[in-house]
Amino acid sequence: MSNAIQPPKAKIIPKLLEKHGHSRTDNYYWLNERENPEVIDYLNKENEYYQKSTAHTKDFQNSLFEEMKARIKEDDESVPYFYNGYFYITRFEKGKDYPIHSRKKGSMEAPEEIMFDCNEMAKGHAYFNLSGLSVSEDNVWASFGVDTVSRRQYTIQIKNLQTGEILPVAIENTTAGATWASDNQTLFYSRKDEQTLRADKIYKHKLGTAASQDVLVFFEKDETFDVSVYKSKSKKYIIINSNSTMTTEYRMVLSATPDDKFTIFQKRTRGLEYSMSHFGDHFYIVTNKDKATNFKLMKTPEDATAKENWVDVIPHRDEVLLEDIDIFAAYLVVTERYNGLNQIRIMPWSGEGAYYLPFESETFTAYTTTNLDFETEILRYSFQSLATPSSVIDFNMRTQTKTILKEQEVLGGEFDKNNYTEERIWATAKDGTKVPISLVYRKGLKKNGQNPTLLYAYGSYGVTMDCYFSSVRLSLLDRGFIYAIAHIRGGEDLGRPWYENGKLLKKKNTFTDFIDCSQFLIAQKYTSSQHLYAEGGSAGGLLMGAIVNMAPSLYHGVIAQVPFVDVVTTMLDDSIPLTTGEYDEWGNPNVKKYYNYMLSYSPYDNVTAQEYPNMYVATGLHDSQVQYWEPAKWVAKLRNLKTDNNILYLDTNMDAGHGGASGRFEAIKEIAKEYSFLLDLEGIKR
């Protein structure tokens, strides 16, 4: 297909790396010099090779893009939510890439006040993201963060919503997260370490002063923690959260007296995780205290917050993961997970008549959304499944009636969810564990082993890979693809132990689960190795790197987005963003047993002279989560060692970071590239 066009070869400059008396040679270490013109030249050559090799698919890519774009309602808006006297709306206009944030006072019939038109603000920038919008209690001031590089380093500014004036203050290198105290003069925000990008400081800014006069309120010196600041739903407290993989600690101050000293809620104890919500004269705490692996709900008086005062409200259950709570004046709403599926439980404070919301499907996601008002009997939640577009629902907890406020529209007139079949099946892993797989495909599909199948997974950080609807995905389904999600260990899909059994020294369960799911789909005649494709991004890209080393012949093609593949070298470099906070996830390679284990699966370190599947690898030059050089080095090493003539593309976005392009349609162009890669391998030309 692309044999006539020769791929670039990165030059080899051996660098010896030594640790624990063990030596390894990295021939492509030099690629991490972002400012080196030779590095940029190599990335550009790889891009050129990708562009030339896929020139025959360009028209198809464009038509795929237009097809996907045509399903999206361009002049769309969010369901308004009411907060502190105003209805807030986010909307898009036809032909525009970015959102418009607006509000209406008191009623939806009131005139619209445009707070931020991101289309105007994005002009002149290849990348633009506005985040962390926070409005003061008097509704006059809004703080907001802007990132124009895609390294998630936001500059906070403040706008007067009455006059439209943006104050001259620009607070740089923040997370964008900020919250106003009740005096409407004091803004708390979190700032990052310049080098590691760890959020490690909370500052206090006073209106009318320069950013240089801002006061440091809290510094998190433990490099495995990061910090954030927010206001309780009751508006009574400003709360600082210090968080690591396994441990949490909160501090708080009354929002009415923001210059007082913060007090610790419950001091950090390694392994104790908790989150707290204020209601009435108590705090309600979701915690793993007393070996509650799947978490339980406790409460404690406002004036006695240390853990010895906590008492059980909902005790721990071995088979049910307690994920979150929403508090209302008359109801407690609990989000749980049982057998891998979401449950929403409504519990009146009166103690009588608790019930669950009824959900029929096994391939769905349901979660509570924006519920900012205490004094309401309406719960707002969202529902979607692999074949059912996302809807936003207002549910009356007293009458148990629901109103669908909005269902995502799929334009073009051809979509009917009844044309698709959804299934949940269970593969058996090699250690006997049952692993769920969710699937969606067109009705009438024959299980003859010939169906092209895209298997997706993530499997890290306890992130649950819930079933979600995608109108873009229809471009694969309608061309005969099966789309499947493997709910492998390392996520929290089947409760906290599911996560614990897929991290640290059990990380390989994540990879073998995915391989076992792949083999199960083949054994059940959904597909075959000639038609099976795998996809994952970031830590899911690590998964892709591991499986192509371990079981390359199982897959015809693999998509790895911003893949974390150079595990050992990255985890040994504590100057790289995120590294120190990840020791509880991957292990600390400064300790020999973790070093040895990580080395045994690190994709980059385990590339060998063997045949590899067709591969499309995407990255961004400014990525702060997974540095561009990891995929670049990996591809260079694969090019040098692999023994096949299969496709290998490295596609680097020279303007973007970890999340890819920022505009809503630019992101679809990236998906069109991926889909054209898959469809081209299947010989599907239109």
Side-chain angles (χ1 to χ4, degrees):
M1 190 188 305
S2 54
N3 292 348
I5 306 156
Q6 289 306 309
K9 273 233 185 273
K11 67 180 181 184
I12 288 175
I13 307 177
K15 182 174 174 72
L16 193 65
L17 301 169
E18 295 184 282
K19 191 77 184 177
H20 304 299
H22 173 262
S23 303
R24 58 201 170 101
T25 302
D26 187 345
N27 286 331
Y28 304 102
Y29 191 88
W30 66 276
L31 282 171
N32 73 358
E33 299 165 17
R34 194 192 308 269
E35 309 302 324
N36 181 344
E38 285 190 67
V39 171
I40 300 300
D41 182 55
Y42 170 70
L43 295 176
N44 283 329
K45 280 191 172 130
E46 281 284 3
N47 280 352
E48 190 184 355
Y49 171 69
Y50 165 66
Q51 294 295 342
K52 283 182 175 168
S53 302
T54 57
H56 65 286
T57 70
K58 273 289 176 288
D59 289 346
F60 190 25
Q61 270 184 48
N62 291 335
S63 63
L64 277 172
F65 169 71
E66 293 300 337
E67 171 183 306
M68 296 181 210
K69 186 179 170 188
R71 292 195 199 103
I72 294 171
K73 189 170 186 228
E74 289 196 48
D75 49 345
D76 200 10
E77 65 177 48
S78 64
V79 175
Y81 65 85
F82 188 71
Y83 180 65
N84 198 24
Y86 282 82
F87 284 96
Y88 286 88
I89 304 129
T90 302
R91 62 181 179 81
F92 285 93
E93 290 183 351
K94 192 170 174 64
K96 294 187 178 174
D97 251 334
Y98 294 97
I100 296 166
H101 299 279
S102 68
R103 65 178 187 173
K104 296 182 176 187
K105 188 172 183 177
S107 124
M108 282 302 291
E109 275 62 64
E112 179 185 54
E113 299 174 27
I114 290 182
M115 301 158 67
F116 300 98
D117 182 344
C118 296
N119 299 290
E120 289 300 316
M121 298 169 77
K123 281 182 179 167
H125 299 291
Y127 178 92
F128 179 85
N129 189 4
L130 181 143
S131 184
L133 188 52
S134 176
V135 178
S136 60
E137 287 182 27
D138 63 2
N139 291 312
V140 173
W141 303 100
S143 72
F144 62 100
V146 167
D147 172 14
T148 55
V149 180
S150 186
R151 270 183 79 74
R152 302 188 184 182
Q153 288 171 289
Y154 291 87
T155 299
I156 288 179
Q157 295 175 272
I158 296 168
K159 182 172 184 174
N160 184 322
L161 295 175
Q162 289 178 339
T163 67
E165 179 199 8
I166 292 179
L167 302 186
V169 172
I171 305 167
E172 295 185 345
N173 194 32
T174 76
T175 64
T179 192
W180 293 91
S182 299
D183 64 356
N184 304 305
Q185 296 293 307
T186 309
L187 183 73
F188 291 92
Y189 63 90
S190 49
R191 203 168 220 165
K192 296 186 165 190
D193 178 279
E194 283 279 4
Q195 175 75 35
T196 66
L197 304 191
R198 176 173 76 92
D200 60 355
K201 301 174 197 75
I202 302 296
Y203 277 89
K204 179 170 64 179
H205 174 80
K206 296 282 187 185
L207 273 186
T209 66
S212 58
Q213 295 171 264
D214 291 359
V215 176
L216 178 66
V217 175
F218 176 64
F219 171 61
E220 177 52 75
K221 57 183 185 290
D222 187 328
E223 292 181 344
T224 66
F225 282 74
D226 49 23
V227 293
S228 57
V229 63
Y230 66 97
K231 191 186 292 177
S232 64
K233 181 172 169 177
S234 64
K235 300 186 188 169
K236 187 170 180 179
Y237 292 97
I238 301 286
I239 298 166
I240 294 174
N241 172 20
S242 284
N243 196 39
S244 79
T245 308
M246 297 172 62
T247 310
T248 33
E249 178 179 72
Y250 288 85
R251 309 174 141 62
M252 55 194 192
V253 71
L254 289 169
S255 185
T257 54
D259 295 328
D260 287 359
K261 197 170 183 298
F262 278 76
T263 59
I264 292 180
F265 185 89
Q266 158 60 42
K267 73 175 195 301
R268 66 189 69 181
T269 309
R270 180 152 173 86
L272 176 67
E273 296 176 67
Y274 69 92
S275 61
M276 41 65 141
S277 305
H278 175 247
F279 174 58
D281 51 9
H282 280 81
F283 284 99
Y284 287 79
I285 304 145
V286 175
T287 180
N288 65 350
K289 183 178 179 288
D290 310 321
K291 298 187 176 149
T293 311
N294 270 333
F295 292 80
K296 60 179 178 174
L297 184 63
M298 305 184 80
K299 72 173 186 177
T300 196
E302 224 174 350
D303 55 3
T305 60
K307 66 179 187 223
E308 52 270 20
N309 303 299
W310 301 0
V311 297
D312 279 11
V313 178
I314 300 174
H316 178 253
R317 294 155 294 169
D318 286 334
E319 69 290 350
V320 179
L321 175 69
L322 178 66
E323 289 192 324
D324 202 5
I325 60 167
D326 287 276
I327 292 177
F328 298 86
Y331 299 91
L332 171 66
V333 176
V334 184
T335 303
E336 305 173 342
R337 188 176 294 276
Y338 171 70
N339 199 27
L341 300 176
N342 301 119
Q343 300 188 137
I344 298 176
R345 187 178 177 195
I346 314 290
M347 304 173 71
W349 288 116
S350 64
E352 287 170 23
Y355 59 93
Y356 286 94
L357 293 187
F359 300 121
E360 304 300 311
S361 162
E362 276 200 325
T363 49
F364 74 95
T365 304
Y367 53 93
T368 65
T369 61
T370 312
N371 290 286
L372 301 173
D373 188 359
F374 264 124
E375 304 293 333
T376 180
E377 51 192 33
I378 304 295
L379 170 73
R380 181 165 291 180
Y381 74 93
S382 182
F383 177 89
Q384 59 187 310
S385 79
L386 287 173
T388 310
S390 169
S391 54
V392 178
I393 296 159
D394 270 1
F395 179 79
N396 187 306
M397 295 181 278
R398 179 176 52 81
T399 63
Q400 297 190 32
T401 52
K402 70 178 186 182
T403 307
I404 297 175
L405 301 176
K406 178 180 182 181
E407 182 169 277
Q408 175 189 347
E409 282 185 65
V410 181
L411 300 186
E414 291 164 19
F415 173 73
D416 178 352
K417 60 188 172 191
N418 298 311
N419 290 337
Y420 303 88
T421 299
E422 300 176 81
E423 280 190 87
R424 187 164 72 142
I425 56 177
W426 296 77
T428 304
K430 63 178 187 185
D431 64 0
T433 303
K434 298 273 193 227
V435 182
I437 308 171
S438 302
L439 305 118
V440 62
Y441 49 84
R442 287 279 308 199
K443 278 202 171 128
L445 177 116
K446 293 185 173 60
K447 291 184 193 167
N448 57 9
Q450 298 304 303
N451 303 299
T453 299
L454 179 59
L455 182 63
Y456 180 85
Y458 184 72
S460 288
Y461 302 109
V463 171
T464 300
M465 206 35 72
D466 280 318
C467 296
Y468 64 97
F469 179 80
S470 161
S471 68
V472 169
R473 190 193 296 142
L474 298 172
S475 292
L476 285 184
L477 301 183
D478 292 347
R479 289 177 173 85
F481 264 76
I482 297 171
Y483 181 84
I485 300 171
H487 303 281
I488 53 182
R489 282 174 285 185
E492 215 166 59
D493 307 54
L494 272 82
R496 186 66 175 207
W498 202 248
Y499 169 40
E500 303 289 348
N501 285 314
K503 68 183 232 194
L504 296 172
L505 298 172
K506 296 178 180 173
K507 186 67 215 165
K508 286 183 192 172
N509 284 338
T510 302
F511 316 138
T512 54
D513 280 1
F514 190 88
I515 290 167
D516 292 335
C517 287
S518 303
Q519 288 169 333
F520 183 74
L521 289 171
I522 291 169
Q524 296 299 309
K525 295 277 196 286
Y526 285 96
T527 190
S528 61
S529 55
Q530 290 79 40
H531 299 285
L532 179 59
Y533 302 89
E535 180 180 15
S538 196
L542 161 68
L543 168 67
M544 296 299 106
I547 62 157
V548 295
N549 284 334
M550 294 164 74
S553 62
L554 263 184
Y555 308 96
H556 190 222
V558 169
I559 296 171
Q561 304 150 320
V562 293
F564 171 44
V565 282
D566 190 11
V567 182
V568 180
T569 307
T570 292
M571 292 304 296
L572 281 169
D573 185 350
D574 58 16
S575 74
I576 292 177
L578 302 183
T579 295
T580 54
E582 312 257 306
Y583 288 160
D584 287 334
E585 179 72 26
W586 312 104
N588 181 349
N590 295 299
V591 178
K592 192 164 192 274
K593 69 173 177 181
Y594 290 112
Y595 173 87
N596 289 340
Y597 188 76
M598 291 154 91
L599 196 59
S600 74
Y601 69 74
S602 169
Y604 180 62
D605 292 288
N606 287 284
V607 172
T608 57
Q610 64 176 0
E611 293 195 357
Y612 281 88
N614 297 290
M615 292 166 67
Y616 172 78
V617 181
T619 187
L621 182 63
H622 301 291
D623 196 326
S624 62
Q625 318 291 106
V626 178
Q627 308 291 333
Y628 73 88
W629 60 75
E630 293 200 37
K633 286 166 53 173
W634 182 46
V635 166
K637 190 171 180 180
L638 281 164
R639 285 215 189 289
N640 193 35
L641 288 175
K642 73 192 190 82
T643 59
D644 56 78
N645 291 316
N646 287 333
I647 291 168
L648 175 59
Y649 297 140
L650 174 67
D651 181 17
T652 305
N653 184 328
M654 305 302 271
D655 294 320
H658 197 64
S662 58
R664 61 177 172 156
F665 300 127
E666 288 305 312
I668 300 174
K669 284 181 185 163
E670 295 183 358
I671 297 170
K673 285 181 179 180
E674 294 175 9
Y675 284 10
S676 71
F677 167 75
L678 298 173
L679 293 163
D680 194 38
L681 287 170
E682 278 295 314
I684 297 170
K685 305 289 186 205
R686 39 185 287 225

